[in-house]
Amino acid sequence: AQTVTQSQPEMSVQEAETVTLSCTYDTSESDYYLFWYKQPPSRQMILVIRQEAYKQQNATENRFSVNFQKAAKSFSLKISDSQLGDAAMYFCAYRSPNTNAGKSTFGDGTTLTVKP
Amino acid sequence: DTAVSQTPKYLVTQMGNDKSIKCEQNLGHDTMYWYKQDSKKFLKIMFSYNNKELIINETVPNRFSPKSPDKAHLNLHINSLELGDSAVYFCASSQGRLAKNIQYFGAGTRLSVL
């Protein structure tokens, strides 16, 4: 079974600075998908970014980018020019194309605080 | 227009009661999911339906019974509620079961069992 680990329960960043949230996972599969979700205090889970394992190029969405290291099974999220609205809990998620019809396995989450 | 909507947003009830949470999506998706987020924020899949057919059941107690009257709805009925059922329950949907397909989540239902 796949596992996802987020080793940083809490992180903080100064507004306008850059922060990196770490995520590692364990799998024996070669093809899979990785996601970062944001959960603000409103509870709504919002997709931040998606990475396909067979693509070497790191995904980027505006101020959000990932550092995907397949051999190391690492998938960190970098937030540049942090804004107050980025404050939320961030979840890393793994989805296998082979088992259990696309269910997501989530890490425990990292709470990000943005200081003005 | 909310893509995935859950009702109610908050549910407070006594132990032993039976309650239902409703979920509807207007995205035209054919796959829907229920996730449970416990007090430590740990998020875990419970069920998944594809075209009204149950495809994932993650060893959830029999007291939990999902019902999908059509592709746009996936309701969760819980019998004989226990204290440990207190959590936030999220509904999600996607087009197809493929891992690459994005899951869209509802805003969650916070269930408190007293």
Side-chain angles (χ1 to χ4, degrees):
Chain A
Q2 293 84 18
T3 58
V4 178
T5 303
Q6 293 178 246
S7 59
Q8 308 152 316
E10 296 177 349
M11 291 284 284
S12 68
V13 63
Q14 204 71 34
E15 195 177 4
E17 294 189 347
T18 296
V19 64
T20 298
L21 308 183
S22 66
C23 172
T24 58
Y25 55 94
D26 186 27
T27 184
S28 58
E29 297 174 321
S30 59
D31 188 22
Y32 47 86
Y33 292 80
L34 297 164
F35 303 80
W36 277 99
Y37 284 92
K38 171 185 177 181
Q39 186 180 38
S42 66
R43 288 202 317 248
Q44 181 77 52
M45 293 283 286
I46 303 164
L47 177 68
V48 175
I49 203 163
R50 176 181 64 173
Q51 176 77 43
E52 300 164 26
Y54 63 86
K55 286 189 177 179
Q56 292 188 341
Q57 186 174 6
N58 290 326
T60 300
E61 287 288 340
N62 301 315
R63 296 182 296 107
F64 298 87
S65 61
V66 299
N67 183 4
F68 173 50
Q69 302 289 328
K70 191 173 183 179
K73 296 179 184 175
S74 171
F75 180 60
S76 60
L77 175 70
K78 185 171 88 170
I79 307 175
S80 304
D81 186 25
S82 297
Q83 300 175 359
L84 295 177
D86 295 334
M89 193 155 190
Y90 287 81
F91 290 93
C92 177
Y94 174 103
R95 291 182 79 185
S96 164
N98 299 319
T99 59
N100 285 332
K103 74 168 186 176
S104 293
T105 300
F106 287 86
D108 289 350
T110 297
T111 299
L112 177 66
T113 302
V114 181
K115 299 177 181 178
Chain B
D1 228 10
T2 304
V4 181
S5 59
Q6 298 178 224
T7 54
K9 286 190 175 180
Y10 300 93
L11 187 51
V12 181
T13 188
Q14 298 288 329
M15 253 183 7
N17 284 351
D18 303 338
K19 290 293 178 185
S20 291
I21 306 172
K22 294 185 177 181
C23 179
E24 176 182 4
Q25 53 92 5
N26 62 5
L27 297 167
H29 291 166
D30 60 3
T31 305
M32 297 184 72
Y33 310 80
W34 276 109
Y35 285 86
K36 178 181 179 180
Q37 187 175 40
D38 62 22
S39 58
K40 295 183 179 179
K41 301 289 188 178
F42 186 62
L43 201 61
K44 189 172 180 182
I45 184 78
M46 298 174 68
F47 299 104
S48 175
Y49 270 73
N50 175 255
N51 284 317
K52 302 196 300 175
E53 178 187 350
L54 179 67
I55 52 174
I56 295 176
N57 183 342
E58 286 286 302
T59 60
V60 178
N62 290 338
R63 299 181 296 103
F64 290 79
S65 53
K67 285 186 172 55
S68 182
D70 55 57
K71 288 194 301 183
H73 296 84
L74 180 61
N75 303 323
L76 184 65
H77 188 76
I78 314 170
N79 289 326
S80 304
L81 278 156
E82 300 177 358
L83 294 177
D85 297 332
S86 295
V88 179
Y89 292 85
F90 285 95
C91 178
S93 74
S94 65
Q95 182 50 40
R97 307 188 291 180
L98 297 178
K100 67 179 182 180
N101 297 336
I102 296 170
Q103 291 178 323
Y104 294 83
F105 285 80
T109 295
R110 181 178 294 281
L111 172 63
S112 298
V113 182
L114 307 178

